[in-house]
Amino acid sequence: MTPACASLERFAADKLAKLDRRQLRRQTHETRPLGGALVERDGQRLVNACSNDYLGLSQHPVVIEAARAATATYGAGSGASRLVTGGHPLLFELESRLARFKGSEDCLVFGSGYLTNLAVTPALVGPGDLVLIDALAHACLHAGARLSGARVEIFGHNDMVDLETRLTRLRADCRHAMILTDGVFSMDGDLAPLPALLELAAKFDAWALVDDAHGVGILGEGRGTGHSFQPPALAPLQMGTLSKALGSYGGYLCASRAVCDLLRSRARPLVFTTALPPASIAAALAALDLIESDTALRERPMQLARRFCARLGLPTPTSPIIPIVLGHADSALAASRALQEDGFLVAAIRPPTVPEGTARLRITISAAHSEADMDRLAAALQSIRQTTEAAE
Ligand SMILES: *Cc1c(COP(=O)(O)O)cnc(C)c1O
């Protein structure tokens, strides 16, 4: 047994009691993948409707085989940082493939999406600079902004008037400025108004960083949110993850050669961490092949999302993320439990992941779902809605 330190134990117990009182204590659950969108939890077979594996590629036989073959050929781990000997040949191949796919000059792959965002902003700005970030941008974009030491201004969600007001007031007094936003917002599924945002970025000479963790593989023929606009609205800094639609693990930044080269020297989460294992890189490469070649696969999550929203009378979705905002954490937890009884796994999302008073079910739709799954899930939600309304 490790020795217990009395004050540390007291601290942890007090904090946990506070979280319990507010229904905000989190738990990790054993969830066993059974192939496709099926999982087993608490001895029950469930249709997973809250994973970010939008194309079902984490379970795709071709992707799994690529990971297996790379492990057999190159080993289980990469052994060192990319700057030492972790620079695996597959990693260079993946970077050039991603750059071509996203239409950028160069690309850098990182350990995860989270690490990518901890890397990029602090490598580019610091004290004396300005970072403007959307209020609902992902936690790791916010963490990167704070870590940079620059002045951080949070603008209202997708509020371009607020963004412009802040730029007008503050830009002249700062050396460099960055604007940080998600392409698809992870908890709401709406899109950033990228054309207007990039226009402001150009007007005020601010560098735009778009986090497209939920856009790549799905929107803009799989090339991401920026490519879904006509004409495309492409930020000079485009990051994303290999861990969602690509079904693997890791993160990336697509940018110019000079910016990527600067990050090779300056991005601490690249320099001081071990390179991704060969299996993850090979899986991402195989996933990219499938995304580029299989139009029907890419389009399926949005098709199913439209069907699902139509059944529930919800507005036409802009991404496969469908939030059902319920308000209090209790209501979201109760709805999640009710869905589990109906055979669906949909996690309740509570503060601080979403703002206070907006606890919700976050439904994510995957190519691995069937039309029948959508119809059954819509019916289950409808009956929860009726029960809740009857109780009010
Ligand atoms: C999931 C997510 C990340 C983090 O990516 P990981 O590869 O899971 O670390 C970053 N940004 C957004 C918007 C996300 O949803």
Side-chain angles (χ1 to χ4, degrees), residues 364-384:
T364 51
I365 291 167
S366 155
H369 289 134
S370 67
E371 277 76 9
D373 289 335
M374 294 296 94
D375 298 349
R376 281 199 305 119
L377 179 56
L381 276 164
Q382 196 68 353
S383 84
I384 291 172

Side-chain angles (χ1 to χ4, degrees), residues 112-114 138 140 182 186 211 213-214 241 243-244 250:
S112 72
Y114 199 108
H138 194 264
C140 60
D182 290 11
S186 56
D211 176 338
H214 299 277
T241 176
S243 325
K244 289 171 182 165

Side-chain angles (χ1 to χ4, degrees), residues 41 47-54 344-349 361-365 369:
R41 183 182 280 187
V47 174
N48 187 354
C50 59
S51 140
N52 299 314
D53 186 10
Y54 297 111
F344 290 97
L345 182 58
V346 180
I349 308 283
L361 297 174
R362 171 185 179 266
I363 292 165
T364 51
I365 291 167
H369 289 134

Side-chain angles (χ1 to χ4, degrees), residues 15-355:
K15 282 280 186 193
L16 284 173
K18 284 204 182 90
L19 289 172
D20 278 335
R21 276 198 295 279
R22 299 171 57 208
Q23 300 270 6
L24 295 181
R25 181 159 174 171
R26 313 289 187 104
Q27 251 129 23
T28 51
H29 293 278
E30 188 171 304
T31 311
R32 182 186 302 273
L34 299 176
L38 281 180
V39 294
E40 184 186 310
R41 183 182 280 187
D42 307 331
Q44 211 186 339
R45 278 165 75 88
L46 300 166
V47 174
N48 187 354
C50 59
S51 140
N52 299 314
D53 186 10
Y54 297 111
L55 299 173
L57 294 183
S58 80
Q59 305 297 314
H60 194 290
V62 171
V63 176
I64 293 171
E65 183 46 38
R68 200 200 316 269
T71 302
T73 311
Y74 298 110
S78 63
S81 155
R82 307 217 29 208
L83 275 67
V84 186
T85 56
H88 195 272
L90 290 174
L91 199 41
F92 286 83
E93 187 185 338
L94 178 60
E95 288 177 340
S96 66
R97 284 286 304 279
L98 278 169
R100 185 147 38 95
F101 184 57
K102 298 286 294 179
S104 66
E105 212 173 48
D106 201 355
C107 170
L108 259 184
V109 166
F110 293 82
S112 72
Y114 199 108
L115 282 177
T116 309
N117 279 333
L118 289 189
V120 177
T121 306
L124 297 175
V125 293
D129 299 325
L130 174 66
V131 174
L132 302 117
I133 179 167
D134 188 287
L136 297 187
H138 194 264
C140 60
L141 270 179
H142 281 274
R146 278 201 298 272
L147 191 62
S148 73
R151 172 170 185 171
V152 178
E153 283 281 311
I154 298 174
F155 62 90
H157 174 53
N158 278 349
D159 186 342
M160 295 300 105
V161 174
D162 186 22
L163 175 59
E164 180 158 21
T165 307
R166 289 173 198 269
L167 279 163
T168 306
R169 182 156 49 84
L170 300 165
R171 176 65 186 98
D173 295 333
C174 302
R175 194 177 33 164
H176 303 303
M178 286 182 74
I179 302 174
L180 276 42
T181 186
D182 290 11
V184 177
F185 284 86
S186 56
M187 295 300 137
D188 293 82
D190 55 339
L191 309 188
L194 291 180
L197 186 141
L198 293 179
E199 210 170 289
L200 286 176
K203 179 171 166 193
F204 288 91
D205 186 26
W207 308 330
L209 166 57
V210 175
D211 176 338
D212 213 20
H214 299 277
V216 73
I218 310 289
L219 301 181
E221 301 184 318
R223 301 173 77 197
T225 310
H227 289 274
S228 70
F229 293 95
Q230 267 321 318
L234 304 179
L237 301 164
Q238 298 183 49
M239 72 75 59
T241 176
L242 309 175
S243 325
K244 289 171 182 165
L246 276 80
S248 179
Y249 197 70
Y252 65 84
L253 175 76
C254 284
S256 71
R257 176 121 332 120
V259 168
C260 287
D261 274 342
L262 177 63
L263 265 81
R264 284 183 179 97
S265 294
R266 288 271 302 271
R268 299 177 68 83
L270 183 91
V271 175
F272 296 107
T273 193
T274 303
L276 279 175
S280 304
I281 305 162
L285 271 167
L288 207 50
D289 282 340
L290 288 164
I291 290 169
E292 285 190 284
S293 62
D294 193 339
T295 310
L297 173 73
R298 262 186 345 238
E299 290 180 350
R300 188 164 163 80
M302 285 308 298
Q303 270 164 10
L304 291 173
R306 282 190 289 269
R307 178 186 180 107
F308 174 75
C309 287
R311 296 266 147 155
L312 279 173
L314 296 172
T316 308
T318 48
S319 75
I321 302 171
I322 318 291
I324 313 271
V325 177
L326 295 167
H328 196 272
D330 277 341
S331 324
L333 287 167
S336 169
R337 277 192 298 270
L339 283 179
Q340 185 161 345
E341 278 163 30
D342 287 328
F344 290 97
L345 182 58
V346 180
I349 308 283
R350 293 167 279 167
T353 308
V354 291

